[in-house]
Amino acid sequence: MQHIDARMTCGRLSFEDRKLVEIARAMYSDPKVLIIDETTSALSKNGRDILYGLMEKMKSEGKSVIFISHDIDELMEKCDYLTVFRDGIYIDEVPKEKFNADLIKQLMVGREMVGAYYREDFKPSHEDEVVLSVEHITQGIVTDVSFDAYKGEILGIGGLNECGMHELGKLIFGLEPRTIGVTRYHGGVEFKNPTDAMKLGIGYISKDRDKEAILTAASIRDNICLPSLSKLQKGIFITDKREKEFTNSYINTLEIKTSGMEQLCMHLSGGNKQKVVIAKWVGFDASVLIMDCPTRGIDIGVKAEIYRIMEKMKADGRTIILISEELPELIGMSDRLLIMKDGKITKEFQRSKELSDRDIINYMI
């Protein structure tokens, strides 16, 4: 954590550095029991290694760690004992000697989920039409990045947390200004900001859900309807009935667990918040959707639902740019995969049954 200037306000820190400060604050009082709630989903490999080291240190000192996570591989590797809850109800306890990924999935979801739950096909597939062109984008760490994305393609972008891929997503959508480079829709129309992007049917899901992807102090209805107000408008009016019908259709489609559409999003679970974010852009009818870590910090059941939505969008001829720190997700869902390191694209992979983490990781580190 030595790279963090203690004189800075936390509002100026990155998402990951804010989490590291949170860890430092929790450790300052030398706790005997440390509760870690979905913290690793916000951290890069370096950040995770710091946290794992603290966990091991506490264990060696006879102290306890309660480690809450949806990442099954992480739970199996780091925990001595696993307690499974589902929908707020205690389900079962599993000692380390009985850890089994398929068993844990079944306990978490409530039904059998054996093996992979990504796409079943292993061939890249998309139309020949270029929908989005990124040309020589340069700003901050991102340096001279260019690529085309095709109609009906899931284009994956991966790398370590600090490689520049999250910044690239914002630059493409126009949330941050570019020093050099342009983004074009269908090869011609240039767009520079979110307003222009949305007019062209381009949407963006931020990695930082609570700060950038959703209005936590607003209702589910307000969040889902916000990007689609012009579509809901009839003349100069938007009727209450029209908003309610629109919101209900997506609450039902995505099975958002809620007390009602007027419930504030701050009171939803992480998975249901993410469903609201997805509903917002699916309802907007985005032709291109930039998804930055869309399954971060949610359980495998919700993940599987989001993957099915992505497959449907692909089948409907929509384009998805999937930015993720999870290699299994990128390998499992992408037609084509771009790997970034130090702000540049270092390698491109095509979808293949033989493609593995080992093929990719050397181009990331």
Side-chain angles (χ1 to χ4, degrees), residues 54 70 77 100 132 168 170 182 202 279:
L54 290 172
H70 287 116
E77 181 181 350
N100 175 278
L132 182 72
L168 178 62
K170 292 181 179 182
V182 297
I202 300 168

Side-chain angles (χ1 to χ4, degrees), residues 89-143:
I89 299 171
Y90 166 85
I91 301 299
D92 205 354
E93 293 182 351
V94 185
K96 193 173 187 73
E97 61 269 18
K98 293 186 178 179
F99 280 3
N100 175 278
D102 290 333
L103 170 63
I104 295 170
K105 287 178 186 177
Q106 186 174 348
L107 292 172
M108 290 172 69
V109 179
R111 61 183 185 275
E112 189 173 5
M113 288 189 68
V114 178
Y117 54 111
Y118 303 112
R119 285 169 56 181
E120 293 183 358
D121 64 296
F122 292 102
K123 287 188 177 180
S125 60
H126 55 74
E127 298 183 31
D128 294 331
E129 181 180 352
V130 175
V131 175
L132 182 72
S133 296
V134 173
E135 302 173 6
H136 307 291
I137 290 290
T138 300
Q139 173 64 39
I141 190 175
V142 178
T143 307

Side-chain angles (χ1 to χ4, degrees), residues 228-281:
S228 304
L229 291 177
S230 60
K231 187 167 72 171
L232 295 170
Q233 191 172 334
K234 199 170 185 179
I236 60 172
F237 300 104
I238 300 174
T239 66
D240 189 60
K241 180 183 177 184
R242 197 171 176 86
E243 271 198 2
K244 285 182 176 178
E245 288 175 348
F246 183 79
T247 305
N248 264 327
S249 67
Y250 288 101
I251 287 175
N252 294 331
T253 299
L254 276 81
E255 298 180 355
I256 300 170
K257 293 178 181 176
T258 169
S259 60
M261 68 174 69
E262 303 302 336
Q263 182 177 356
L264 299 183
C265 287
M266 67 175 68
H267 298 139
L268 296 175
S269 68
N272 283 297
K273 283 180 185 175
Q274 195 68 8
K275 286 184 179 182
V276 171
V277 176
I278 300 290
K280 179 170 75 172
W281 291 111

Side-chain angles (χ1 to χ4, degrees), residues 54-96:
L54 290 172
M55 290 166 59
E56 289 298 324
K57 183 174 183 292
M58 288 190 68
K59 179 181 175 181
S60 68
E61 293 172 351
K63 299 174 182 178
S64 301
V65 177
I66 298 173
F67 187 58
I68 302 168
S69 175
H70 287 116
D71 188 323
I72 293 174
D73 292 336
E74 182 178 57
L75 289 168
M76 291 174 64
E77 181 181 350
K78 300 300 177 184
C79 297
D80 300 305
Y81 213 84
L82 179 63
T83 302
V84 179
F85 283 80
R86 185 173 67 246
D87 297 331
I89 299 171
Y90 166 85
I91 301 299
D92 205 354
E93 293 182 351
V94 185
K96 193 173 187 73

Side-chain angles (χ1 to χ4, degrees), residues 168-176 178 183 191-198 202-204 281 290:
L168 178 62
K170 292 181 179 182
L171 290 168
I172 294 170
F173 191 58
L175 277 173
E176 294 182 358
R178 312 152 194 152
T183 47
F191 60 95
K192 297 181 179 180
N193 55 61
T195 301
D196 292 343
M198 289 176 65
I202 300 168
Y204 169 75
W281 291 111
I290 304 162

